Amino acid sequence: MEKPNTYRAGPDEKGHFGQFGGRYVAETLMPLVLELERAYAEASADPAFAREKDHYLTHYAGRPSPLYPAERLTRHLGGPKIFFKREDLNHTGAHKINNCIGQALLARRMGKRRIIAETGAGQHGVATATVCALFDIPCTIYMGAIDIERQAPNVIRMKMLGAEVRPVREGSATLKDAMNEALRDWVANVDTTFYLIGSVAGPHPYPAMVRDFQMCIGLEVRDQMLAAESRLPDVLVACVGGGSNAIGLFHPFLDDACVRMVGVEAAGRGLDTPEHAATLSRGRPGVLHGSRSYLLHDADGQILEAHSVSAGLDYPGVGPEHSWLRDAGRVEYVAVTDDEALEAFHLCTRLEGIIPALETAHALAETRKLAAALAPGDLVVVSLSGRGDKDLDNVSRLTAAAEDA
Amino acid sequence: MSAAGRLKERFARLAAEGRGGLVAFVTAGDPDRATSLAIVRGLAASGADVIELGMPFSDPMADGPAIQASSSRALAAGATMAATFAIVREFRAGDSSTPVVLMGYANPLYAFGLDAFVAEARDAGVDGLIVVDLPPEEADALVHAARTAGVEVIFLIAPTTGEDRMARVLENAGGFVYCVSITGITGTKKARTDEVAQAVARVRRHTGLPVAVGFGITTPAQAAAVAGVADAAVVGSAIVERIAAHLDAQGRARDDLVPAVLGFVGELAAAVRAPAPPPAGTAAVRKRSALR
């Protein structure tokens, strides 16, 4: 692939990032997707929309989130200087709220009276239920039955916030199937309903819109790092399920050739087993949930079940812009296993007093590996995308099982 | 006969007979390959005018529970794209006139390779393709490949498709127009005849292609009513529900499965062939029903 003048121009007017992206939806949804695209373009051009969004990001979500120099982890790794971009400190405990505030304001502007969403780890579901409570919009959250089990605290939070949580038992009963059901709901309720997608996935304009709403992460890091170190970071690290926290961090730096970027997928029980969610490492291009992207599917095009200890990464697809950045060679994509993520979870908790989400622990695990090859003084920013309260039961059980073994 | 020929011929014959046709949908390989072939072979004999064969997909996002389950059964029994083509080929060996349309989702087509897919489809005796998640905006590559191979690409018009979009959707449409009667997934809401009539009239203002209506038709009476205002009525979920209802505890086809499915298709076929009934609730309807 020829090197483009900029990596930040996509998507084109049809929603394509090179061969990826697009609008692969049933005709019933196509007019809605086009309407959303128009409404979002109008909102983006309206300073009043930006003011309103910034008001809630600042005073409700708590932005900007700190860029924290992780002193003990830095000493422990003995190489580069590690910074955490503290998205875990946002209201609701993850980066998801950034996007939910943007989309809920857009839904309100469009006059939609009901919001639906899919959720894996429950972080997006909680963020959606939160903004729906704030803006007084009824909401329905689709969640895989398996995820409901392993992320129980978030299910309770969503219900307390007034959301209806609908369990999805079809297929692998995880995030992919929750998204199928949300799309079916949307088709059946086109007049009233706004589908609030939680990642940079789905048909155009979602991948671009969600990225824009998450870009505050990278824009803040840029300013914060310049203020702290008077230069840009050397390496950015973020976990990638659908990839919204990663694209939010990476995007403002894509044209800075000196900044290396690493997206970390879930290798589950290992890349050479069938049980992983490493779409960009092991998948091939295909079409799912409205866009063309790397995908885990068999030779006949049937979607494979992904596996990760982390519900938020347990998805056989990935945002189309990541697929494009992978093929363009601009971002490196690697994968770490469940065990490596669990180790990093404990390391971060003990060294820094920060309990990270299991999704985030994947980025931390890769940071450990990268540190060995980096020089002292190199600046590494890890997206601390979410806090781990939701994972405590799961981690205690897995840790006990590992100790027994 | 060429692919384009069979669909054109069939709708011309329906027009000559002065009735709307029955498009009968089943998923290829549901509940297993042999039973599926027996069903497909029996559909035409039972009076289906067009056969719509679903290509099983793991994530059928536009389909309701009945067709989702049907797709899962087929995949669990080992269905593949090659097996779907084999069913069409074996059917075609004994029936050269009933059109066969494949319905499915984009990913398995892309995985097969579009050019290879349309060539295989044509050679097997497929007449048209419906790819639910390929709106016209993303369909250029398929349209080009299909045209080269001589297979029709059938597009959907939904209740949400505005007047401003009609021309775009119909630009590359072939075979017939699939008019979606409800906003929703397959087999979940009931289509209302007056709304169907309006929807069909709207499509006819934009195209001379035959118009088939589907997504909310579950009974012979509904099929008859829709066939009275459209060129064909599509019945899918209600047929595959008959398959689901005739499986044993292990999910295998019982001996009475094929006769039950075909018996129901026979009722649908008889209904679309009956003269259009006068408005509901009149004495004439009751009398005629009693005679049937």
Side-chain angles (χ1 to χ4, degrees):
Chain A
M1 189 156 128
E2 205 177 312
K3 194 172 172 292
N5 292 327
T6 171
Y7 291 98
R8 304 190 64 200
D12 66 16
E13 72 284 357
K14 285 182 164 181
H16 291 121
F17 301 90
Q19 62 157 316
F20 301 108
R23 293 174 288 217
Y24 294 85
V25 294
E27 176 58 25
T28 309
L29 289 181
M30 198 57 204
L32 279 83
V33 164
L34 294 169
E35 183 201 354
L36 177 63
E37 188 187 343
R38 277 192 300 273
Y40 176 57
E42 280 169 25
S44 304
D46 181 355
F49 182 77
R51 270 198 304 277
E52 197 176 23
K53 178 167 67 77
D54 290 346
H55 166 79
Y56 286 105
L57 287 176
T58 305
H59 302 290
Y60 188 70
R63 301 207 73 84
S65 66
L67 182 69
Y68 160 70
E71 293 157 22
R72 291 195 67 205
L73 183 64
T74 296
R75 275 203 299 279
H76 176 82
L77 296 179
K81 194 166 178 184
I82 314 291
F83 292 81
F84 289 169
K85 178 57 174 167
R86 298 292 306 275
E87 293 300 302
D88 60 315
L89 290 180
N90 296 338
H91 180 41
T92 73
H95 67 292
K96 295 291 186 187
I97 192 81
N98 306 331
N99 168 48
C100 288
I101 286 173
Q103 286 198 52
L105 288 172
L106 184 61
R108 199 166 72 165
R109 190 183 162 99
M110 291 172 76
K112 299 291 182 182
R113 300 189 298 280
R114 173 175 178 260
I115 282 181
I116 56 170
E118 82 296 331
T119 195
Q123 291 301 92
H124 175 58
V126 166
T128 302
T130 298
V131 296
C132 286
L134 175 66
F135 298 133
D136 192 22
I137 306 172
C139 84
T140 299
I141 310 288
Y142 289 92
M143 188 168 184
I146 289 180
D147 291 340
I148 284 181
E149 211 166 288
R150 60 180 165 175
Q151 306 280 217
N154 274 345
V155 177
I156 298 168
R157 290 165 85 194
M158 285 185 267
K159 288 181 178 167
M160 283 188 174
L161 289 160
E164 180 199 359
V165 180
R166 285 195 195 157
V168 178
R169 297 191 174 80
E170 283 72 27
S172 52
T174 59
L175 181 53
K176 154 183 95 86
D177 310 283
M179 198 151 178
N180 288 338
E181 278 310 305
L183 284 163
R184 289 178 186 126
D185 181 314
W186 200 23
V187 171
N189 299 288
V190 290
D191 293 332
T192 57
T193 298
F194 185 98
Y195 182 14
L196 207 166
I197 294 184
S199 195
V200 284
H204 179 65
Y206 285 100
M209 178 172 70
V210 176
R211 173 199 71 200
D212 294 350
F213 288 146
Q214 292 294 359
M215 227 190 300
C216 53
I217 302 173
L219 291 170
E220 287 172 10
V221 166
R222 216 181 158 88
D223 291 345
Q224 290 165 323
M225 190 57 98
L226 287 171
E229 301 283 339
S230 307
R231 65 181 187 92
L232 293 179
D234 298 294
V235 186
L236 307 175
V237 188
C239 65
V240 176
S244 69
N245 89 90
I247 207 80
L249 174 63
F250 296 166
H251 206 269
F253 297 94
L254 285 174
D255 288 336
D256 298 294
C258 57
V259 181
R260 182 179 164 197
M261 300 175 199
V262 183
V264 188
E265 297 190 302
R269 300 207 165 90
L271 285 185
D272 297 322
T273 74
E275 294 178 86
H276 63 76
T279 312
L280 290 163
S281 302
R282 283 291 191 272
R284 27 180 245 292
V287 174
L288 181 68
H289 294 153
S291 63
R292 184 172 171 79
S293 196
Y294 274 81
L295 198 59
L296 299 176
H297 52 148
D298 69 15
D300 227 35
Q302 306 297 337
I303 311 304
L304 296 170
E305 292 185 10
H307 165 83
S308 169
V309 68
S310 138
L313 304 183
D314 199 345
Y315 181 64
V318 66
E321 192 165 14
H322 284 293
S323 292
W324 182 74
L325 290 167
R326 172 203 186 274
D327 283 7
R330 178 61 188 98
V331 178
E332 300 159 47
Y333 293 93
V334 298
V336 308
T337 64
D338 289 351
D339 291 346
E340 290 168 325
L342 276 166
E343 262 177 50
F345 174 98
H346 289 297
L347 186 73
C348 179
T349 303
R350 291 293 180 87
L351 284 181
E352 295 291 350
I354 295 171
I355 301 177
L358 277 175
E359 292 75 19
T360 309
H362 286 72
L364 292 164
E366 180 60 22
T367 303
R368 278 178 89 182
K369 294 192 203 172
L370 285 168
L374 294 172
D378 279 352
L379 306 176
V380 177
V381 176
V382 185
S383 173
L384 227 290
S385 54
R387 68 179 183 217
D389 307 43
K390 68 187 175 62
D391 294 313
L392 297 184
D393 283 355
N394 206 13
V395 171
S396 321
R397 199 163 31 84
L398 291 165
T399 309
E403 280 163 2
D404 288 350
Chain B
M1 188 186 293
S2 80
R6 269 193 294 262
L7 276 168
K8 197 173 269 181
E9 190 105 323
R10 182 51 48 105
F11 278 103
R13 207 184 83 191
L14 289 170
E17 289 175 18
R19 67 176 178 94
L22 172 67
V23 179
F25 171 94
V26 289
T27 301
D30 174 25
D32 62 75
R33 185 168 155 177
T35 309
S36 185
L37 179 61
I39 293 170
V40 172
R41 281 187 166 146
L43 287 176
S46 305
D49 298 294
V50 175
I51 295 170
E52 184 184 346
L53 202 53
M55 298 176 275
F57 182 48
S58 52
D59 294 77
M61 284 152 285
D63 285 301
I67 294 178
Q68 286 174 47
S70 142
S71 210
S72 301
R73 287 194 297 270
L75 289 172
T80 59
M81 196 64 92
T84 297
F85 287 132
I87 288 174
V88 178
R89 202 173 282 117
E90 286 170 57
F91 165 77
R92 193 51 87 211
D95 183 325
S96 60
S97 62
T98 306
V100 173
V101 171
L102 293 183
M103 190 286 286
Y105 293 81
N107 199 53
L109 268 71
Y110 280 111
F112 201 92
L114 287 186
D115 290 327
F117 179 86
V118 293
E120 260 314 282
R122 177 204 49 211
D123 294 347
V126 170
D127 303 284
L129 302 171
I130 303 170
V131 187
V132 181
D133 54 352
L134 270 192
E137 282 80 356
E138 301 292 349
D140 287 350
L142 176 68
V143 166
H144 178 79
R147 231 173 236 164
T148 309
V151 178
E152 305 277 2
V153 179
I154 293 155
F155 284 93
L156 288 84
I157 296 275
T160 49
T161 310
E163 291 295 306
D164 54 334
R165 243 185 101 66
M166 284 283 196
R168 179 80 181 94
V169 177
L170 294 167
E171 191 183 339
N172 291 312
F176 58 89
V177 176
Y178 193 124
C179 182
V180 178
S181 60
I182 53 155
T183 53
I185 49 180
T186 52
T188 48
K189 290 182 187 169
K190 234 182 180 163
R192 282 179 43 188
T193 309
D194 55 337
E195 287 173 1
V196 168
Q198 281 171 27
V200 171
R202 189 168 82 103
V203 176
R204 287 207 206 283
R205 283 199 294 277
H206 294 268
T207 180
L209 285 172
V211 181
V213 175
F215 268 50
I217 306 167
T218 57
T219 65
Q222 265 184 302
V226 169
V229 295
D231 298 298
V234 186
V235 183
S237 296
I239 297 176
V240 303
E241 274 168 7
R242 266 44 179 205
I243 296 178
H246 293 84
L247 300 171
D248 68 16
Q250 282 76 46
R252 287 176 307 230
R254 294 196 323 235
D255 291 343
D256 57 350
L257 186 149
V258 175
V261 171
L262 297 180
F264 178 61
V265 172
E267 287 173 41
L268 295 165
V272 301
R273 282 167 176 79
T282 64
V285 171
R286 283 194 295 275
K287 192 170 162 204
R288 229 158 44 92
S289 302
L291 288 174
R292 257 210 305 261

